[in-house]
Amino acid sequence: MSERTGDTEQAAEVLRAGGLVAFPTETVYGLGANAEDPAAVSRIFAAKGRPPSHPLIVHIGGAEQLDDWAAEVPETARLLAESFWPGPLALVLRRGPRVPFETTGGLETVAVRVPDHPVALALLAAFGGGVAAPSANRFGSVSPTTAGHVRAELGDAVDFVLDGGPCQVGVESTIVDVTGDVPAVLRPGGVTREDLEAVLGMSLAVPETSHVRVPGQHPSHYAPNARVVLVEPEKIVVEAEHAQEQGHRVGVFLPPELGGEPIDVHAVVRVPDSMPAYARGLYGFLRELDEQGCDLIIASLPVEAGLGLAIANRLRRAAGPRD
């Protein structure tokens, strides 16, 4: 048995005992518990400081298990699962009887997905059940994309950490509600709206808010310690240097079109011109500027197409009002 196989077997035992396991997915690291164990699920909320009304995503090992967790599975859901699983897409369906209300935040719906990461799939196979998991960080803060991020933020609150290396997508899964007559994108993420539309053969709206509660809808979410301010790209240099002159320790997300622009601020992140690379690095960039002591981060939104839509969504939430 390899070391990694041994790790996943040990992690599965921790889940069976009601413990918490941090594990890698293609999107971000998740903080997992047995999805059918209300006491274990409650530990997730306590560890994160997450309101218990916020539902969790149930991770399963394959699309063939969908009927085990959902009371009704429409053909649209099966089409999307066939097209995008394993992958960064969560489907909101009617809750099946084996899913406790602690996992769904009291809702009659449940979000389900199959992660596209060998370590996550090995864990699910070894465990043999569903794993409820939000991102493995404190509620509202920057999501973790490495095992080191998890350990630094949650420490001893996690019983076992599976290290699968850096996450390759870097932003959370797209969440699609398939309980109604028309599918609705509740959270943009790693599967793009354009890809969904191509499979479904219809246009999809992506509202900023929804009456259906899903992860990542809090007005301030994905937020670093530094305050995030969004400005138009052409105003970044002027706004950043002015804030620096006012006594702020300013960090800047410098977009590709300004890559050669001189700027006198505390720290600079040069944004990749590739949207997949930007998504993969986004949360690491925010953490980097926190670590460099910035108290203000100035950024602009990318074009809201493809993965740019998910990046823009995360930056808006990061810049949202703080409690």
Side-chain angles (χ1 to χ4, degrees):
M1 183 168 60
S2 72
E3 181 179 348
R4 176 158 288 178
T5 302
D7 285 346
T8 54
E9 293 287 350
Q10 187 177 348
E13 286 299 324
V14 171
L15 291 173
R16 293 187 191 101
L20 301 184
V21 173
F23 63 98
T25 75
E26 77 281 23
T27 58
V28 300
Y29 273 71
L31 180 62
N34 180 351
E36 298 177 77
D37 183 342
V41 169
S42 295
R43 287 192 60 201
I44 292 176
F45 292 97
K48 284 177 63 70
R50 180 187 180 99
S53 60
H54 283 239
L56 306 179
I57 294 175
V58 175
H59 295 70
I60 61 176
E64 69 278 1
Q65 300 172 18
L66 198 47
D67 291 286
D68 297 336
W69 299 93
E72 303 170 18
V73 183
E75 286 307 309
T76 299
R78 297 194 193 281
L79 174 61
L80 291 173
E82 179 183 349
S83 301
F84 297 108
W85 281 0
L89 175 69
L91 300 175
V92 176
L93 299 140
R94 301 293 177 192
R95 178 185 69 90
R98 70 189 292 181
V99 187
F101 284 116
E102 286 80 2
T103 297
T104 68
L107 301 177
E108 286 291 352
T109 54
V110 61
V112 184
R113 90 174 184 99
V114 180
D116 188 14
H117 193 291
V119 175
L121 291 172
L123 173 63
L124 289 162
F127 177 57
V131 175
S135 55
N137 56 281
R138 296 288 297 173
F139 179 71
S141 68
V142 180
S143 302
T145 53
T146 70
H149 294 162
V150 177
R151 295 186 182 102
E153 188 152 351
L154 294 181
D156 293 340
V158 184
D159 299 309
F160 198 93
V161 178
L162 281 170
D163 190 343
C167 299
Q168 293 304 301
V169 174
V171 292
E172 290 82 355
S173 58
T174 303
I175 300 178
V176 177
D177 180 5
V178 289
T179 61
D181 294 334
V182 179
V185 178
L186 305 184
R187 179 181 72 181
V191 171
T192 68
R193 174 174 57 185
E194 292 85 350
D195 285 342
L196 291 168
E197 290 175 339
V199 167
L200 295 173
M202 65 177 70
S203 297
L204 297 174
V206 186
E208 276 296 304
T209 60
S210 167
H211 70 280
V212 180
R213 295 199 307 272
V214 294
Q217 279 190 321
H218 194 269
S220 176
H221 216 83
Y222 317 111
N225 294 324
R227 184 165 62 93
V228 177
V229 174
L230 301 176
V231 303
E232 295 299 320
E234 64 272 15
K235 296 180 180 178
I236 281 184
V237 173
V238 170
E239 295 285 349
E241 291 186 338
H242 177 70
Q244 186 80 23
E245 290 168 1
Q246 297 300 307
H248 288 286
R249 295 184 302 280
V250 178
V252 171
F253 275 25
L254 201 64
E257 60 267 30
L258 299 178
E261 191 86 11
I263 182 167
D264 184 16
V265 294
H266 185 71
V268 175
V269 166
R270 299 190 181 276
V271 173
D273 57 7
S274 156
M275 285 298 106
Y278 191 2
R280 188 161 51 248
L282 174 62
Y283 293 142
F285 298 154
L286 292 170
R287 288 176 181 274
E288 177 186 335
L289 293 181
D290 265 349
E291 290 165 2
Q292 293 193 44
C294 297
D295 60 34
L296 182 66
I297 296 173
I298 294 181
S300 62
L301 298 178
V303 174
E304 296 186 44
L307 281 173
L309 180 62
I311 296 167
N313 170 270
R314 301 316 189 268
L315 286 172
R316 283 199 184 95
R317 300 290 182 182
R322 309 244 176 149
D323 295 333

